[in-house]
Amino acid sequence: TPVLPSIHIVMVIYKRVFLLRSQLESMYEQNIRKGHDIVFHILNNNLEVTEDANDVVMNWGKKDGFEVNLVHFKKNRGAFLRFVHACELRNSFPLDHVIFVDDDQLWPPDFISGLIAAHRPRSSTSWYGKIFERGDWLEPADYWSSTLVSMDDIRTHSRTEMTEWKYSGPGGSVYDANICLAQD
């Protein structure tokens, strides 16, 4: 039987530790886990929740085929920390892709398998995106209101003709891990 590669999932937390136990359960229940190990990297940007996060992870315990890595950072590095961590992972061992999720999400059992099935090499795939009406270096786009597709459009699948975004929300996305390799 061939050994299937582990699936690496990265989540940055800040204050939502109250969701962490449910998130561990939600991630453990992913149907892709059957046959693949999941490595769930939790990056804590808030030293004030260190003890609470440690308690949740320690009480979760060890589960076969599901590894949890909790790392605490002294300084808040923001959501971009997940990209930095993904590159550290990619530089440590071979990795085709890395998945990012947000700390305000719970996932249906087919969420990770759906992302991986939709993903193509040398790209990123996200469940959410924006196509800005305008924006350039003189007049930047308004992140919150100047998009041609709304969250309701995405949730109700009413704009299925839109398959490419100018901005992809990284919370619920998969990126080709080769984004981290230096280009000549």
Side-chain angles (χ1 to χ4, degrees):
T1 306
V3 176
L4 298 174
S6 295
I7 297 170
H8 291 265
I9 302 167
V10 179
M11 179 174 74
V12 175
I13 62 172
Y14 188 71
K15 289 188 177 181
R16 296 184 180 115
V17 178
F18 61 91
L19 288 174
L20 191 52
R21 171 116 182 120
S22 296
Q23 289 168 322
L24 288 169
E25 291 170 5
S26 179
M27 196 56 67
Y28 182 73
E29 294 299 322
Q30 292 298 305
N31 59 20
I32 192 81
R33 202 177 61 72
K34 295 155 184 70
H36 290 274
D37 289 345
I38 287 181
V39 184
F40 194 26
H41 303 268
I42 303 168
L43 313 177
N44 176 21
N45 263 333
N46 182 357
L47 288 180
E48 292 177 13
V49 301
T50 298
E51 189 174 320
D52 292 339
N54 283 339
D55 287 346
V56 171
V57 172
M58 298 252 305
N59 288 326
W60 172 255
K62 295 193 182 280
K63 307 260 193 246
D64 190 39
F66 187 78
E67 180 181 338
V68 179
N69 294 324
L70 174 61
V71 182
H72 303 285
F73 293 87
K74 293 179 182 174
K75 180 180 170 192
N76 181 356
R77 298 179 178 181
F80 192 73
L81 177 60
R82 59 183 136 205
F83 289 96
V84 173
H85 192 74
C87 289
E88 290 171 358
L89 292 173
R90 175 61 180 92
N91 290 330
S92 298
F93 48 86
L95 186 66
D96 289 330
H97 55 266
V98 63
I99 295 170
F100 298 147
V101 294
D102 279 343
D103 68 344
D104 63 349
Q105 296 175 306
L106 295 175
W107 311 277
D110 63 347
F111 187 77
I112 299 301
S113 61
L115 276 175
I116 291 173
H119 181 64
R120 299 296 172 256
R122 301 182 65 145
S123 70
S124 65
T125 303
S126 178
W127 77 276
Y128 172 70
K130 291 179 177 269
I131 301 171
F132 296 106
E133 294 177 57
R134 65 179 190 287
D136 56 32
W137 67 276
L138 292 173
E139 183 183 352
D142 179 355
Y143 175 84
W144 298 108
S145 63
S146 67
T147 183
L148 296 174
V149 63
S150 71
M151 181 63 77
D152 286 338
D153 292 333
I154 294 166
R155 286 186 179 137
T156 62
H157 304 283
S158 63
R159 302 291 301 271
T160 57
E161 76 279 7
M162 294 187 175
T163 60
E164 294 185 12
W165 315 101
K166 299 291 182 189
Y167 165 83
S168 291
S173 61
V174 56
Y175 282 79
D176 188 307
N178 291 320
I179 192 173
C180 301
L181 299 178
Q183 299 293 316
D184 291 334

